[in-house]
Amino acid sequence: YPYMNGPIHLGHTFAFTKAEFQTRFQRTLGKRVLFPFGFHGTGMPIKASADKLTQELAEFGNPPKFPDAPHFGKECMSYAELANRQYVYKQTVEQLTKEFNEKQDAAYKEAQKAGKKGTKKSKAVQKTGAASRVWDILLASNVDVSDIPKFVDPFYWLEYFPSKWSTALRNFGASVDLRRSFITTDANPYYDAFIRWQFKRLKDAGKLKFGKRHSIYSPKDGQTCADHDRASGEGVGPQEYTLIKMRVLEPAPKALEKYVKKNLFLAAATLRPETMYGQTNCYVLPTGTYGVYDIGNDELFVIGENAARNLAFQGHSPKHGEVKLLAKVKGTDLIGTALSAPLATYERIYVHPLFSVSMTKGTGVVTSVPSDAPDDWAMLRELQAKQPLREKFGLTDEQVMPFKPVPIIKTTEFGELSAVKACDDFKVNSPNDRQQLDAAKDKVYKAGFYDGVFLVGDFKGEKVESAKTKVRQQLIDQNLALEYFEPASPVRSRSGDDCVVCLTDQWYIDYAQPEWKEQVKAHVETMDTFGEEMKLLLLQQVDRLHEWGCSRSFGLGTKLPCDEQYVIESLSDSTIYMAYYTIAHLLQGGNTSPSKVVVGPAGVKPEQVTDEFFDYVFHGKGDKTKLGIDVKVIDQMRREFTYWYPWNLRTSGRDLAYNHLPFSLFNHVAIFEQKYWPKGIKCCAFLEVDGEKMSKSRGNFLTTEDAVARFSADGARIGLADSGDFLDVANFDQTVANGAVLKLYTWIDSVEEVLKMKDTALPAIDDANTSFADRAFENVQRSIIADVKEMYEKMLYRDVLKRGFYEYFTQRERYLMAAGDQANKAVLLLSHQRQAQLLAPIAPHTMERVWTMTGGQGLVVNALYPDVPAADPVALLSYEHLHDSLGVFRKKLDDYLNPRARKGKKVEPPSPPKKVTIKVCLSYPAWQEMVLDIARSKFNTETKSFDKDIIADLRSNEELQKILPPKKGKKDPMMMFFGGVKNLAAEVGERVLQSKLAFDEQKLFVSNIAVLKSQLNVDEVEVVTV
């Protein structure tokens, strides 16, 4: 259900493969699996891009003559010339991007030299930057130059890209049912009716409401800006502050003299209104530029421009959305201004300088409470301690020295002056000790909120946690403060606008309803999220969700049925679309064109798709005979829904866990019966390529078509399966994909070699005449088959590759080594065939080839997962023991044949031995068994290492010390034995720490004499017991 504003790239495909691989695996278990695929077009991004392209063509011509594009410059006079040069120009996009960035840097440096201030981008660079033009983006997306002007129509995007995605998916080998594909928006009357039905039912259930809400808003677009409408700042919401009105007192500084007789205030934004009792001063940024703004209601605020812009959209301006600036004021001109601060103990406080004040967060004015804010205390203390600093900013002693921290809140940890004690505890010596101040601030704020008790005010004796909101409301009610909102961090719309928070009339979905939340949270607990981290993330987001504005003034989409002047935004019309998949093929037959309406196989026309139709199909409610549709057709659709729903798996990028996925859960709970609520969600990390974020300028941006062309479909699929399965990191390593291609070719070659071998019968594993190698390899395969199945079920595809691809090859090589010239052709062919079955979900094309070559019947994609008995654990242990022992023997033999020099003298190597004797110890002495027992308890099986205190434990064990043999000079028998065990355990693992083996070691070596002789290159091997 991707958004149709560009071609499918590797990041899209990575998330897609999580479902693709699972779809194919589940089919091997004999299940019927539906994997549909739709195309999303709702919202602002497409509309904004179409509008921007319109502007580009109007400004630069059609075809355009961009001043900074040599290959599309003035000499390009026709589409024919453009087409001829398209390939060349596409290759220069990266160079243009680089030049664009260099222009920015050069312009900024020149401006700095000239002493100018402003944005890093000059207007010229902004206008001509190739990297941001829609024309260039479409060109880089392989859109033919003659087609680009068609994209001024937003619906052409929905005409063009869905067909390109469908082709790319087919070439990738996607096992999706494209008969059920559809596009969104009112260009598809069937889906449009479905969304209208959904919102009517939400309104009926009391979930859809209307009212004024504080929302992220784009002034340029004239409407709220939801996550998918943003170029940056996705997931950012409004941050609520309390704006403290500090009245300017006379005598006012010269810059404010003209306005002091009016209601003039410095307005400070705070998240801690409960601490206003402790104000001793106020801070501004000395280098900041402030303004005197008319905010309406006969009040003037001295604040930064960013805050004034936000306030103008929240009812605090003479005219909504318009900032009324009366005068600009430098921060230095405000220092020393006398103020009257609400709730403050001191009747008159003064403005002080603070260089950490931000002009883009809050108002640029910060009220100071040194008793409970470490930053405030650090700066006040600095000013009081340094007269030259006071003189530098024109502050008199009277404006600084009398002010002491006021005890207002008591905490158990820090007492009555929390910030003062915390600064001492964290050794804060100056306002520049950022790390210590941040640590102190975190501790003080938490202690004050959760443990603090008021010492002053109307709520004296109450806990801060419960009285905080009371203090805030009291300030607002007494007109000493007002509520203020701004984006929690910068948000930019896709139209290039810096967003504000606006108080708007809006339709919203009330996700804050407690009972609804509890239902959703209870259901999340029952879902398969393929890891606790994802479950916790979903639960957190369900808790955090409140009212969500779902209406927009314009853009692509479905009109809100209860108020058709609005369009439903993109995240709200994509919450239950999965249910629509179950009937989409019957309604519209896979049509994805916005320019035509296709009546599907069911013969149901758009006007017949009513609310009553959906009520019956999805709820079984109503009289199906009154719908004007053949009852058999209605029954078929009802069966489709009840058979396929609910969904078992929804995969997506991690970013959608913050909006789309919890929205979907809420809407399912509100609209469907519980038995149709979702069962599973899998999220993945954002994909990097070769350890870096995908970027055209870095040269590592890959579309899916690029990847298939470069690595083949199966090579790309293996590379994506190897990229990672968790929420934190995902990396597509191009060397892995390239290596996979080579390995697949090598695999086919190895199968051809097996086919040349002499035909043999498949040995029975229980037959006494079956060789040790055949029996062991069969058990190894059974173990791999079981492990891979569990890995698929847990969606651990990288582990599937490790065990089912790479390790399977390794084990086959071991079998060939163990079997020697007795290697069985039937055993090898079966192993190749089984491995093809295991890897068919990931690399289906090559696996069909291997399956056919090895005599598989039909298609491997239709073959069931191998059904084999459980592996014999003793057989596996003995086989691993033989392999590990061979490694140890080879090393000892190599050490014997290559002696190290002694005291600088070279030692002549001995002649290679013709006979090797292997001594098998039937049992350990009691002291050695005890050493092994202790060592086993201190061994980490994952790292193949021992705890640091292992030696201390061995030496402090009194029982062991009693039975140890005596030392011989400097030689410690215990340490010599443990040293050898430690080295073996690092190579082999925990098995060497067992005091008794589960199999007959002597018999194992004797039955594999031929293998031992071959691998050690000797004529004779003797096995004796000691």
Side-chain angles (χ1 to χ4, degrees):
Y1 195 70
Y3 198 72
M4 290 295 99
N5 61 342
I8 178 173
H9 60 65
L10 215 56
H12 297 127
T13 316
F14 175 61
F16 167 82
T17 57
K18 301 304 178 187
E20 161 73 5
F21 298 155
Q22 194 63 206
T23 294
R24 290 181 176 272
F25 166 68
Q26 291 293 334
R27 285 179 183 143
T28 71
L29 303 182
K31 298 177 183 178
R32 292 189 176 119
V33 183
L34 173 59
F35 185 19
F37 200 92
F39 303 103
H40 196 201
T42 304
M44 275 298 297
I46 288 175
K47 181 70 168 61
S49 294
D51 290 348
K52 190 173 182 185
L53 180 61
T54 301
Q55 294 170 2
E56 290 173 11
L57 297 181
E59 184 172 357
F60 297 108
N62 184 8
K65 299 179 179 68
F66 297 126
D68 64 335
H71 296 286
F72 272 111
K74 295 179 181 179
E75 76 277 15
C76 296
M77 303 305 294
S78 68
Y79 282 123
E81 287 182 86
L82 293 175
N84 289 334
R85 302 183 184 196
Q86 181 170 16
Y87 174 78
V88 177
Y89 183 70
K90 185 174 183 295
Q91 304 306 306
T92 67
V93 167
E94 293 175 15
Q95 181 62 29
L96 287 170
T97 303
K98 181 180 177 183
E99 292 173 2
F100 169 64
N101 291 332
E102 289 173 352
K103 279 183 183 179
Q104 284 185 303
D105 294 337
Y108 182 59
K109 289 175 182 176
E110 286 299 318
Q112 280 189 319
K113 287 180 182 178
K116 296 178 181 179
K117 297 178 182 179
T119 61
K120 190 169 182 178
K121 292 185 185 179
S122 69
K123 289 183 179 179
V125 175
Q126 286 177 336
K127 183 181 289 187
T128 61
S132 61
R133 289 194 295 253
V134 176
W135 177 280
D136 296 299
I137 292 168
L138 290 171
L139 193 69
S141 300
N142 289 321
V143 177
D144 190 89
V145 289
S146 62
D147 285 335
I148 293 179
K150 299 176 185 177
F151 284 84
V152 298
D153 176 3
F155 286 104
Y156 187 73
W157 297 68
L158 296 179
E159 190 80 56
Y160 183 87
F161 282 115
S163 64
K164 295 297 182 183
W165 275 68
S166 297
T167 300
L169 288 170
R170 289 189 185 97
N171 292 338
F172 185 71
S175 58
V176 296
D177 185 353
L178 292 174
R179 299 172 307 156
R180 298 173 187 261
S181 296
F182 59 87
I183 59 168
T184 66
T185 78
D186 53 7
N188 178 357
Y190 292 103
Y191 188 75
D192 188 62
F194 172 69
I195 297 302
R196 291 171 67 86
W197 168 79
Q198 174 192 355
F199 274 75
K200 287 177 184 177
R201 296 299 166 257
L202 287 174
K203 191 169 188 298
D204 292 343
K207 312 298 184 187
L208 179 63
K209 299 178 179 180
F210 184 79
K212 286 190 177 294
R213 312 302 309 163
H214 286 96
S215 304
I216 304 295
Y217 182 88
S218 166
K220 181 178 181 179
D221 297 336
Q223 62 178 359
T224 53
C225 185
D227 282 358
H228 284 186
D229 302 328
R230 302 174 186 177
S232 62
E234 186 168 347
V236 175
Q239 172 67 63
E240 182 178 8
Y241 293 90
T242 304
L243 218 58
I244 305 298
K245 296 158 65 172
M246 295 178 288
R247 184 179 293 276
V248 177
L249 302 176
E250 295 188 83
K254 186 174 181 181
L256 300 179
E257 282 179 347
K258 182 178 178 181
Y259 309 102
V260 73
K261 298 292 185 182
K262 301 180 182 180
N263 289 321
L264 179 64
F265 303 92
L266 263 68
T270 181
L271 297 172
R272 305 183 72 205
E274 73 279 9
T275 64
M276 294 304 99
Y277 297 102
Q279 295 176 86
T280 59
N281 61 288
C282 165
Y283 290 119
V284 297
L285 180 68
T287 57
T289 299
Y290 294 81
V292 179
Y293 294 94
D294 184 345
I295 67 156
N297 299 320
D298 295 322
E299 290 185 337
L300 307 180
F301 277 8
V302 179
I303 51 177
E305 181 183 4
N306 180 68
R309 186 166 178 257
N310 276 276
L311 281 168
F313 287 91
Q314 296 169 31
H316 300 294
S317 178
K319 186 175 180 180
H320 180 79
E322 292 186 9
V323 173
K324 188 173 181 180
L325 173 66
L326 302 179
K328 286 189 176 182
V329 184
K330 294 179 181 179
T332 50
D333 292 338
L334 295 174
I335 295 172
T337 301
L339 305 170
S340 173
L343 302 185
T345 303
Y346 296 100
E347 291 184 5
R348 180 182 288 252
I349 65 171
Y350 296 91
V351 177
H352 293 175
L354 182 65
F355 282 96
S356 61
V357 172
S358 170
M359 297 300 294
T360 57
K361 195 172 186 67
T363 63
V365 179
V366 179
T367 187
S368 173
V369 184
S371 60
D372 289 81
D375 281 280
D376 298 347
W377 169 236
M379 189 62 199
L380 179 61
R381 184 177 59 181
E382 187 91 345
L383 284 167
Q384 290 179 340
K386 297 180 178 179
Q387 184 177 351
L389 184 61
R390 299 195 296 275
E391 292 175 351
K392 177 182 177 180
F393 290 103
L395 287 168
T396 66
D397 286 356
E398 179 188 9
Q399 294 169 334
V400 178
M401 301 307 292
F403 298 94
K404 306 299 180 187
V406 179
I408 59 171
I409 295 171
K410 182 177 182 179
T411 66
T412 304
E413 184 175 1
F414 295 108
E416 296 183 355
L417 294 174
S418 295
V420 176
K421 186 174 189 307
C423 284
D424 291 340
D425 291 349
F426 285 90
K427 296 180 171 54
V428 175
N429 297 314
S430 87
N432 299 319
D433 292 340
R434 193 68 263 154
Q435 189 173 351
Q436 299 100 302
L437 280 168
D438 287 343
K441 176 181 175 180
D442 184 61
K443 292 280 286 185
V444 167
Y445 284 15
K446 285 181 180 177
F449 182 72
Y450 293 108
D451 181 49
V453 176
F454 278 110
L455 299 172
V456 296
D458 293 345
F459 307 103
K460 181 178 179 180
E462 290 191 33
K463 295 273 289 184
V464 171
E465 186 175 7
S466 60
K468 177 186 178 90
T469 55
K470 298 178 186 177
V471 177
R472 180 177 189 268
Q473 194 58 50
Q474 186 183 70
L475 284 164
I476 293 172
D477 291 344
Q478 294 176 8
N479 198 27
L480 299 174
L482 53 86
E483 62 178 8
Y484 165 69
F485 295 81
E486 65 182 35
S489 59
V491 176
R492 173 159 286 204
S493 73
R494 291 184 183 271
S495 58
D497 190 25
D498 291 324
C499 293
V500 297
V501 170
C502 181
L503 184 61
T504 61
D505 285 326
Q506 196 173 14
W507 286 94
Y508 62 93
I509 301 175
D510 189 6
Y511 292 124
Q513 294 180 10
E515 185 179 351
W516 198 9
K517 273 186 187 288
E518 290 307 312
Q519 283 182 294
V520 176
K521 286 164 65 177
H523 181 63
V524 170
E525 294 287 1
T526 70
M527 294 178 68
D528 191 350
T529 55
F530 303 92
E532 283 303 306
E533 184 182 359
M534 183 62 207
K535 183 163 288 187
L536 289 173
L537 181 57
L538 279 175
L539 289 170
Q540 287 171 0
Q541 290 312 116
V542 170
D543 259 338
R544 289 173 183 168
L545 280 179
H546 295 288
E547 299 87 355
W548 179 266
C550 61
S551 59
R552 299 291 178 267
S553 299
F554 64 92
L556 304 185
T558 293
K559 289 183 171 59
L560 197 64
C562 53
D563 194 347
E564 295 204 357
Q565 65 176 310
Y566 295 109
V567 175
I568 298 167
E569 61 90 27
S570 62
L571 282 168
S572 297
D573 86 333
S574 56
T575 57
I576 61 169
Y577 67 87
M578 310 85 177
Y580 184 75
Y581 280 133
T582 63
I583 59 173
H585 62 306
L586 298 173
L587 287 177
Q588 56 185 91
N591 175 44
T592 59
S593 172
S595 61
K596 61 183 178 181
V597 175
V598 174
V599 177
V604 177
K605 297 177 182 178
E607 58 267 24
Q608 293 176 292
V609 182
T610 61
D611 295 339
E612 292 75 20
F613 165 85
F614 289 118
D615 283 340
Y616 185 81
V617 171
F618 296 128
H619 291 157
K621 295 179 179 179
D623 187 346
K624 61 185 176 183
T625 64
K626 295 181 179 180
L627 297 175
I629 301 171
D630 189 332
V631 171
K632 291 182 180 178
V633 171
I634 291 293
D635 286 341
Q636 181 184 4
M637 292 190 184
R638 175 68 180 160
R639 282 196 305 273
E640 285 276 343
F641 173 71
T642 57
Y643 181 82
W644 289 117
Y645 230 61
W647 90 60
N648 295 83
L649 177 65
R650 168 79 172 92
T651 66
S652 80
R654 176 180 179 144
D655 56 315
L656 294 185
Y658 298 94
N659 42 52
H660 162 71
L661 293 174
F663 290 176
S664 183
L665 296 177
F666 270 100
N667 279 266
H668 274 82
V669 168
I671 290 174
F672 295 108
E673 295 177 66
Q674 187 168 353
K675 62 182 177 180
Y676 297 126
W677 295 355
K679 289 186 176 181
I681 288 174
K682 169 70 175 180
C683 282
C684 54
F686 287 115
L687 184 71
E688 295 182 343
V689 174
D690 296 334
E692 292 187 318
K693 182 180 178 181
M694 272 204 300
S695 167
K696 290 184 176 69
S697 62
R698 291 190 178 98
N700 69 344
F701 184 87
L702 290 173
T703 66
T704 304
E705 288 178 321
D706 292 336
V708 170
R710 188 176 299 182
F711 308 113
S712 79
D714 284 352
R717 291 168 71 102
I718 289 173
L720 288 166
D722 179 75
S723 296
D725 300 302
F726 300 103
L727 290 174
D728 49 357
V729 177
N731 179 51
F732 182 86
D733 189 332
Q734 296 192 68
T735 60
V736 170
N738 273 319
V741 175
L742 179 61
K743 200 162 189 69
L744 292 174
Y745 276 111
T746 304
W747 187 356
I748 291 172
D749 290 342
S750 68
V751 174
E752 290 176 343
E753 291 300 314
V754 173
L755 291 171
K756 296 175 185 178
M757 294 170 61
K758 181 181 178 181
D759 289 341
T760 57
L762 190 66
I765 193 170
D766 297 326
D767 191 327
N769 294 320
T770 298
S771 71
F772 172 82
D774 288 345
R775 187 179 296 111
F777 187 40
E778 173 62 22
N779 276 288
V780 166
Q781 290 183 79
R782 291 178 180 181
S783 175
I784 291 174
I785 289 167
D787 289 348
V788 168
K789 183 178 182 182
E790 183 178 352
M791 292 164 183
Y792 269 123
E793 290 170 342
K794 294 180 178 179
M795 298 183 73
L796 300 174
Y797 302 126
R798 176 183 276 175
D799 291 347
V800 167
L801 283 181
K802 181 180 177 182
R803 190 85 167 110
F805 190 45
Y806 300 109
E807 287 187 19
Y808 213 132
F809 283 117
T810 300
Q811 292 296 344
R812 192 156 38 236
E813 291 300 317
R814 285 188 185 180
Y815 166 72
L816 290 170
M817 178 191 74
D821 57 9
Q822 299 301 309
N824 188 301
K825 178 180 180 179
V827 168
L828 287 168
L829 286 177
L830 179 60
S831 74
H832 284 293
Q833 196 173 103
R834 285 171 168 172
Q835 190 178 10
Q837 287 176 272
L838 266 57
L839 293 174
I842 293 176
H845 309 87
T846 311
M847 297 311 106
E848 289 293 356
R849 175 78 183 277
V850 174
W851 177 259
T852 302
M853 292 174 69
T854 57
Q857 299 299 306
L859 297 174
V860 72
V861 293
N862 294 330
L864 295 178
Y865 197 84
D867 185 15
V868 297
D872 179 353
V874 175
L876 290 174
L877 280 172
S878 62
Y879 188 48
E880 284 299 309
H881 187 73
L882 174 64
H883 171 75
D884 294 338
S885 297
L886 272 169
V888 173
F889 297 160
R890 278 194 291 262
K891 187 175 185 307
K892 286 184 175 295
L893 187 58
D894 184 66
D895 291 344
Y896 170 74
L897 293 173
N898 299 282
R900 284 184 285 180
R902 296 179 180 177
K903 296 183 180 180
K905 293 183 179 180
K906 187 177 180 181
V907 179
E908 285 296 320
S911 300
K914 296 183 177 180
K915 177 183 177 181
V916 165
T917 300
I918 298 173
K919 297 181 179 180
V920 177
C921 181
L922 297 180
S923 63
Y924 288 104
W927 71 270
Q928 289 183 345
E929 286 196 13
M930 190 172 292
V931 169
L932 291 173
D933 289 342
I934 295 171
R936 197 162 54 249
S937 70
K938 295 290 183 177
F939 187 69
N940 186 318
T941 55
E942 292 184 4
T943 61
K944 291 185 179 179
S945 62
F946 293 92
D947 292 351
K948 293 180 180 179
D949 57 357
I950 176 66
I951 302 300
D953 283 6
L954 289 170
R955 293 196 186 282
S956 63
N957 190 293
E958 294 181 2
E959 188 177 349
L960 172 61
Q961 294 301 318
K962 289 178 183 178
I963 60 175
L964 282 175
K967 294 182 180 180
K968 295 180 180 180
K970 293 183 179 180
K971 293 182 179 179
D972 184 338
M974 182 189 76
M975 292 307 299
M976 291 175 66
F977 175 68
F978 176 70
V981 167
K982 180 181 177 182
N983 293 335
L984 279 174
E987 292 181 28
V988 177
E990 188 181 22
R991 190 167 61 257
V992 302
L993 303 178
Q994 303 297 327
S995 56
K996 290 183 175 58
L997 297 175
F999 52 86
D1000 188 327
E1001 188 178 22
Q1002 181 185 16
K1003 184 177 178 181
L1004 172 67
F1005 290 143
V1006 170
S1007 63
N1008 285 281
I1009 289 290
V1011 178
L1012 293 166
K1013 290 195 312 187
S1014 171
Q1015 292 297 306
L1016 299 177
N1017 196 25
V1018 295
D1019 297 333
E1020 183 181 354
V1021 172
E1022 179 185 26
V1023 182
V1024 299
T1025 59
V1026 293

